Amino acid sequence: MSGAGTPLQPRRTGLSRRRKRQISRGAQYAVFVAVVIVFAVTADWSRLQNQFFQWDMVKQMFPDVITLALKNTVIYTMSGFAVGLVLGIVIALMRLSSVGPYRWFAGVYIEVFRGLPALMIFIFVGVAVPLAFPGTEIIGGTYGKVALALGLVGAAYMAETFRAGIQAVPKGQMEAARSLGFSHARAMVSIIVPQAFRIIVPPLTNELVTLFKDSSLVLFLGVTLEERELSKYGRDLASTTANSTPILVAGLCYLLVTIPLGFVARRLEARQKEATK
């Protein structure tokens, strides 16, 4: 019997929060397993195998799928990334400039090229540029056109990444450089930009993955057999053979590059978070 004036403690009923979370998690696992089982039971695996898993066709694709298609994809991506990197730095510095026209131009460029689909940029480079400047050829032919198109697309995103990285560098770094006699431009090039690079490496890696996938738009420029990248190569073989196995192999080749790059980006992000603690 409780003492006088001591309120009785209400008895706790129901499940604890931990138990509720366990039940919720178990229900989610059960639903996931049920969906997988239903998919495995109802799918027509024989038709899928005939359409996507023809081993003889896979063997016929090698080594060209690597030495030609994947090689061209990597060349297109890296050249476009290089153009976008240089142009992105310039646009970012213009965006941060104290000169009004520079800031306005950079702002318009970023908004326009981030807002337009990459496909339209490829068409613009392949059609509008030759019409605007008749008789002129972009250096490098198709490779040069792809580098320019991917660079124009990537630069708009990289510029904002660079701007955020530069602004993340403590202002005291610029003040210290100026106190040592550095000009503003020299301090940016020698002190600020290198530090910004270390900050923005993870998002730049993600941008590289995006450009790697966007390189598939090269088919809209009209390429020769020797200039085909993975998507064009797989699509041509799929049309010739009336089978989708080449497209599956091309997709796996994309994953062969994008998955390691994604892993690298996550590791860099984790390392950067640990360094800032």
Side-chain angles (χ1 to χ4, degrees):
M1 183 174 179
S2 61
T6 303
L8 296 175
Q9 297 294 330
R11 295 182 60 186
R12 297 181 61 183
T13 59
L15 300 174
S16 64
R17 292 183 179 180
R18 181 178 180 181
R19 183 57 180 167
K20 288 180 180 179
R21 286 197 298 267
Q22 292 175 342
I23 294 175
S24 175
R25 191 178 299 111
Q28 293 176 33
Y29 288 152
V31 171
F32 175 77
V33 171
V35 171
V36 172
I37 293 175
V38 170
F39 173 78
V41 172
T42 58
D44 191 337
W45 292 104
S46 61
R47 294 182 64 182
L48 286 174
Q49 181 178 0
N50 291 333
Q51 187 66 23
F52 288 98
F53 301 98
Q54 293 296 321
W55 181 244
D56 292 338
M57 196 173 299
V58 172
K59 291 190 293 186
Q60 292 175 6
M61 295 178 66
F62 287 87
D64 286 350
V65 68
I66 301 295
T67 59
L68 175 68
L70 181 58
K71 181 195 73 174
N72 282 334
T73 301
V74 172
I75 292 174
Y76 293 145
T77 302
M78 297 309 298
S79 58
F81 184 78
V83 173
L85 192 66
V86 175
L87 187 57
I89 294 175
V90 174
I91 296 297
L93 294 177
M94 292 176 68
R95 187 72 183 270
L96 296 172
S97 174
S98 59
V99 181
Y102 288 169
R103 293 198 309 273
W104 302 332
F105 174 84
V108 170
Y109 178 93
I110 291 171
E111 294 302 325
V112 169
F113 282 89
R114 283 199 309 178
L116 290 175
L119 171 60
M120 297 187 67
I121 307 303
F122 272 79
I123 295 175
F124 169 78
V125 171
V127 178
V129 172
L131 290 176
F133 305 98
T136 59
E137 289 290 338
I138 296 177
I139 299 175
T142 300
Y143 292 94
K145 292 178 182 179
V146 177
L148 178 59
L150 287 177
L152 290 174
V153 174
Y157 294 92
M158 292 186 203
E160 285 294 87
T161 302
F162 275 118
R163 180 181 63 82
I166 291 172
Q167 291 180 329
V169 176
K171 294 182 179 180
Q173 296 291 317
M174 174 61 77
E175 295 172 356
R178 294 302 299 272
S179 67
L180 293 175
F182 284 70
S183 65
H184 184 275
R186 186 182 174 189
M188 288 294 295
V189 173
S190 302
I191 306 297
I192 306 301
V193 172
Q195 293 186 61
F197 257 107
R198 289 196 292 269
I199 297 173
I200 64 175
V201 166
L204 282 183
T205 306
N206 291 327
E207 183 59 32
L208 181 61
V209 173
T210 301
L211 291 181
F212 186 79
K213 294 182 292 184
D214 285 344
S215 65
S216 62
L217 297 173
V218 67
L219 63 92
F220 291 98
L221 296 177
V223 296
T224 65
L225 293 177
E226 296 300 319
E227 295 171 340
R228 292 179 297 174
E229 43 69 55
L230 282 170
S231 292
K232 177 65 173 172
Y233 181 84
R235 182 179 178 183
D236 288 349
L237 286 181
S239 299
T240 303
T241 61
N243 191 276
S244 300
T245 300
I247 295 179
L248 176 64
V249 174
L252 293 176
C253 288
Y254 276 106
L255 295 178
L256 188 66
V257 176
T258 57
I259 289 178
L261 282 177
F263 175 78
V264 170
R266 289 191 296 271
R267 289 294 299 171
L268 290 173
E269 289 176 356
R271 183 175 299 179
Q272 189 177 92
K273 289 180 180 179
E274 292 177 359
T276 55
K277 288 182 179 179

